[in-house]
Amino acid sequence: MFIEQPPFFYRMLFPETIWRIPGDKKTVYLTFDDGPIPQVTPWVLDVLDYYEVKATFFCVGDNVARNPNLFQVIRDRGHQVGNHTMNHVKGMSMSPEKYVRNVMNAHDLIQSRLFRPPHGHMLPGQAKLLKKDFSIIMWDVVTRDYSNKLSGEQVFGNVKRYARNGSIIVFHDSIKAERNLHYALPRTINWLRENGFLFKIL
């Protein structure tokens, strides 16, 4: 559970960040990390279009630089975008200044005030600096679609077990997640809708 739904004490380590957005109605926020890549992102966009769902894509700057047209397609289809650093770097191994510089390099390409740290790892000093310019978005549910130790059924099961009003749910439009994503994403959307959840972007 620690990975799939971070406990309260872990969330309190980063008071500058947003983990969940509960509202009056049952609402969830679908998010996708690490793209855009041509092998996976177009399929994700087609699934979202089919179900008429909007999501938020936290993009890696390098991938945006390599796939600018695909990045624009995400925006043209009405989805939100966010910053996921320039090179998917781990904040724990970098100085606050170097980390922020990496984020700002990605910002030059992405132009979004939403930021999510890769792996959810960063130092308190980095969070304080970034809070000046960004809303730092974490998550309430990590599907773990990237794990080769989990099946698509188990990934879908993580959503069914942990999703609640205000959940920010993380999938990945990445090669590692592709197999599980193909199984879990359509079923997740159907299940959430059948259980009365509305979908919003951040």
Side-chain angles (χ1 to χ4, degrees):
M1 177 180 176
F2 184 85
I3 296 176
E4 290 87 351
Q5 191 168 69
F8 179 77
F9 78 86
Y10 186 76
R11 299 170 191 238
M12 290 303 98
L13 293 175
F14 297 98
E16 302 90 351
T17 63
I18 298 169
W19 296 85
R20 182 173 166 239
I21 312 174
D24 295 335
K25 297 181 179 180
K26 290 172 69 175
T27 302
V28 290
Y29 300 81
L30 285 187
T31 69
F32 295 86
D33 286 3
D34 299 351
I37 60 168
Q39 300 92 329
V40 181
T41 306
W43 179 85
V44 172
L45 292 172
D46 287 345
V47 170
L48 296 175
D49 277 356
Y50 178 81
Y51 289 101
E52 298 182 337
V53 169
K54 301 303 180 187
T56 303
F57 288 77
F58 286 91
C59 299
V60 174
D62 271 347
N63 287 336
V64 173
R66 282 192 288 265
N67 304 288
N69 293 337
L70 183 53
F71 176 71
Q72 188 59 46
V73 169
I74 294 173
R75 298 185 119 164
D76 289 346
R77 294 202 192 180
H79 302 288
Q80 180 65 275
V81 295
N83 186 327
H84 203 44
T85 75
M86 189 68 193
N87 315 101
H88 204 260
V89 293
K90 296 181 179 179
M92 303 293 285
S93 61
M94 302 175 72
S95 70
E97 292 76 19
K98 188 175 181 180
Y99 189 69
V100 170
R101 189 158 56 247
N102 189 283
V103 174
M104 295 310 295
N105 287 340
H107 179 68
D108 290 341
L109 296 168
I110 298 167
Q111 293 293 308
S112 170
R113 292 300 175 184
L114 301 179
F115 171 72
R116 173 178 284 159
H119 312 288
H121 297 163
M122 60 181 172
L123 299 169
Q126 293 164 347
K128 289 179 181 178
L129 287 174
L130 289 168
K131 181 64 176 177
K132 298 174 183 177
D133 296 302
F134 298 93
S135 293
I136 304 174
I137 308 296
M138 302 297 258
W139 57 81
D140 188 53
V141 181
V142 175
T143 63
R144 296 187 67 201
D145 53 350
Y146 55 81
S147 176
N148 60 15
K149 297 180 180 179
L150 296 184
S151 66
E153 292 92 335
Q154 289 170 308
V155 170
F156 179 37
N158 285 336
V159 176
K160 291 192 290 184
R161 181 175 182 183
Y162 295 110
R164 53 183 172 167
N165 180 25
S167 284
I168 300 170
I169 302 172
V170 181
F171 284 99
H172 296 78
D173 53 331
S174 68
I175 295 295
K176 286 197 301 183
E178 184 176 14
R179 174 181 58 86
N180 286 334
L181 193 64
H182 273 259
Y183 181 92
L185 180 58
R187 289 168 175 82
T188 288
I189 294 172
N190 272 326
W191 183 85
L192 289 168
R193 198 162 261 163
E194 288 169 358
N195 283 272
F197 286 94
L198 303 173
F199 295 90
K200 290 187 179 181
I201 58 174
L202 294 164

